[in-house]
Amino acid sequence: MSQTEDTPELVSRNEAFWAWVKVAAYSFGGPAGQIAVMHKLLVEEKRWISENRFLHALNYTMLLPGPEAQQLATYLGWLIHGTRGGLIAGSLFILPGFVSILVLSVLYAGYQDLTLVQALFYGLKPAVLAVVVEAVFRIGSRALKNNVMIAIAAAAFVGIFFFNIPFPIIVLCAGLIGYIGGKVWIEKFDVIKQRDIDDAEEQGYLITDAVAQQNRPSLSKALRILTIGLLLWFVPLVGMWVTLGAEHVFTQEAVFFSKTAAVTFGGAYAVLAYIAQQAVEVFGWLQPGEMLDGLGMAETTPGPLVQVVQFVGFMGAYRNAGAMSPMMAGVIGSVVTTWVTFVPCFLWIFLGAPFIEYWRGNKSLTTALSSITAAVVGVILNLAVWFAIQTLFGVVNERQFGPVRVLIPDFQTLDIVALAIAVAAFIALFRFKAGMLLTLALSAGAGILYYLIAL
């Protein structure tokens, strides 16, 4: 199913497995932090994937519904070890968050007390902020090769941060600009080719064009993948509909979260308001304000932010368990919700990635993707700024001035301890080149110590 299945094994499966475990363990801080972790490990440290190939994959995942960081991990795992590699990478990316939120949901439903968890993760968020800032500088310096690319990145940042333009529109506009620009000003828009498209430029990396394009995509493979993916997605849903009925909570969750899985363009925040409104007002799965508690779990545990839907699924089934044990119903609700949310993510990658890789050298595609890459830098900067504001300030006010949205932090709520941890982590990473694991571990320890002293 992939380009790499008929080629010699360049990376041992055992080494790749532990690399993906490492990525999963470090996947705090939302998509910006998760993308930064993968870039640092796979591009810089292990040199399995070139800078351009990494950005090429990221551009594609940014266009898809669902969590882009999890889909990026799946894509890169597929590049290295085919379909099995993609399944391992994508599943391991989800697993820590699933287990964490399941445990926290049980504690929340049973005890309504997450103080210990808050203490554990208090120091991690500002440290992840430092990782994100480092990634913005690093990726930006390599992707923005001329003033045109810088202007596109700046426009993307302004569009999404100040005007709240939907992310898919920004990406589509950037792609259109790159496509047209490549026809009239090729030297400014063919940035990908200028950097890495030639085999000579990819020397030193394991996955090159010669490796990635061994097996060409075909319609028969695509149809087989589509059939398998749709069966895995919808057979359990239809089974619950037939055996339990359309009004059963498991069936309702399967149908509802299948719909949201297909429309979550632009990240989890784009759809969370809708999910919260439906969960509270229509289905009665959550009480008002509980969505924020679930979001707090997702933000302070590893894995994609959209994993918050698991909390919604747990609480909905817990409160509508019928004759079943509420805790058991909650666990099943978590599994159902997670399944219908992430099976489509694997489908989009395994279906589209072979074609995206095969078309990688197409000049019109590369000029469009050069502009999308620049726009993605602006989007990552937007995520970094948003994450910084939310991490360092207790109160953030949103003001609207006509079409312009401005986030204004209340400086009286500045968290000095979080700021100090972020600065220390930034210095450790930039000045002393400390390892990410050590930096995150020390930051988490500092957070726990602060909580112990404060209490």
Side-chain angles (χ1 to χ4, degrees):
M1 283 187 188
S2 82
Q3 288 90 338
T4 59
E5 288 179 343
D6 294 338
T7 60
E9 194 171 89
L10 299 175
V11 180
S12 74
R13 296 186 185 276
N14 184 64
E15 183 181 5
F17 175 84
W18 288 110
W20 293 118
V21 169
K22 194 174 183 180
V23 167
Y26 292 178
S27 59
F28 296 91
Q34 293 155 359
I35 291 167
V37 166
M38 281 185 277
H39 184 276
K40 187 174 185 66
L41 181 64
L42 303 179
V43 177
E44 296 186 32
E45 295 182 4
K46 293 187 176 294
R47 298 184 67 81
W48 290 347
I49 307 290
S50 71
E51 177 77 33
N52 177 64
R53 196 173 293 280
F54 181 91
L55 292 173
H56 184 81
L58 177 59
N59 290 336
Y60 174 59
T61 61
M62 286 283 191
L63 293 171
L64 300 174
E68 60 267 30
Q70 186 272 340
Q71 289 170 320
L72 177 61
T74 304
Y75 191 118
L76 298 179
W78 168 84
L79 266 179
I80 297 169
H81 280 134
T83 303
R84 184 181 300 176
L87 287 171
I88 291 173
S91 299
L92 284 175
F93 194 91
I94 298 167
L95 187 59
F98 173 81
V99 173
S100 299
I101 291 183
L102 180 59
V103 171
L104 295 178
S105 297
V106 170
L107 292 174
Y108 185 90
Y111 305 103
Q112 297 279 314
D113 187 4
L114 299 176
T115 302
L116 178 60
V117 177
Q118 293 170 350
L120 179 61
F121 293 110
Y122 175 80
L124 279 175
K125 293 176 70 174
V128 169
L129 172 59
V131 173
V132 172
V133 171
E134 183 193 29
V136 171
F137 279 104
R138 186 172 56 248
I139 297 176
S141 65
R142 297 175 182 177
L144 308 181
K145 292 295 185 179
N146 56 55
N147 291 336
V148 172
M149 296 296 109
I150 293 173
I152 292 174
F157 173 78
V158 171
I160 195 168
F161 189 81
F162 290 105
F163 291 91
N164 205 24
I165 296 175
F167 177 74
I169 293 178
I170 290 177
V171 170
L172 290 174
C173 288
L176 182 62
I177 291 170
Y179 178 81
I180 296 173
K183 304 292 185 184
V184 299
W185 205 1
I186 186 67
E187 66 273 14
K188 290 293 186 181
F189 284 89
D190 199 10
V191 173
I192 289 178
K193 181 177 180 180
Q194 290 172 355
R195 290 205 314 275
D196 286 317
I197 198 72
D198 296 327
D199 283 343
E201 292 293 329
E202 289 197 321
Q203 289 182 359
Y205 294 96
L206 293 183
I207 307 301
T208 64
D209 281 339
V211 173
Q213 296 190 11
Q214 287 290 320
N215 295 330
R216 296 188 175 188
S218 69
L219 181 60
S220 62
K221 285 184 179 180
L223 289 175
R224 186 166 71 249
I225 292 169
L226 180 62
T227 300
I228 294 172
L230 291 178
L231 286 174
L232 289 172
W233 187 357
F234 288 109
V235 166
L237 190 156
V238 173
M240 285 184 285
W241 190 297
V242 172
T243 59
L244 300 176
E247 299 303 315
H248 194 279
V249 65
F250 295 153
T251 306
Q252 290 181 330
E253 289 180 345
V255 172
F256 177 70
F257 288 110
S258 289
K259 293 178 182 177
T260 60
V263 299
T264 51
F265 293 95
Y269 287 105
V271 76
L272 286 184
Y274 170 71
I275 292 176
Q277 185 265 334
Q278 294 290 303
V280 174
E281 298 179 10
V282 177
F283 295 107
W285 296 336
L286 298 181
Q287 299 297 321
E290 286 186 337
M291 189 67 173
L292 292 177
D293 294 332
L295 186 57
M297 295 180 194
E299 286 180 329
T300 53
T301 53
L305 190 60
V306 76
Q307 195 75 49
V308 67
V309 299
Q310 179 191 344
F311 169 74
V312 180
F314 181 96
M315 296 304 298
Y318 179 86
R319 288 180 170 138
N320 297 273
M324 188 179 295
S325 161
M327 283 296 180
M328 179 58 68
V331 171
I332 296 174
S334 288
V335 173
V336 168
T337 301
T338 302
W339 182 264
V340 299
T341 297
F342 288 103
V343 166
C345 297
F346 289 98
L347 175 59
W348 312 143
I349 297 301
F350 295 143
L351 184 63
F355 294 94
I356 294 298
E357 282 298 312
Y358 181 68
W359 293 329
R360 184 169 173 263
N362 180 279
K363 184 171 291 186
S364 295
L365 180 63
T366 57
T367 58
L369 290 179
S370 292
S371 294
I372 292 175
T373 298
V376 166
V377 174
V379 171
I380 294 176
L381 177 60
N382 157 74
L383 291 171
V385 173
W386 185 91
F387 187 55
I389 292 174
Q390 300 297 326
T391 299
L392 300 178
F393 295 93
V395 176
V396 180
N397 299 306
E398 182 176 320
R399 300 289 177 83
Q400 202 75 28
F401 301 95
V404 179
R405 180 198 64 170
V406 180
L407 298 178
I408 304 175
D410 183 347
F411 284 89
Q412 292 184 342
T413 64
L414 174 65
D415 190 331
I416 300 297
V417 176
L419 177 62
I421 294 174
V423 171
F426 191 85
I427 293 173
L429 291 171
F430 274 84
R431 175 67 179 83
F432 297 104
K433 309 299 181 184
M436 194 182 313
L437 179 60
L438 177 62
T439 302
L440 292 177
L442 291 176
S443 299
I448 293 174
L449 181 61
Y450 169 70
Y451 257 72
L452 290 175
I453 295 173
L455 290 175

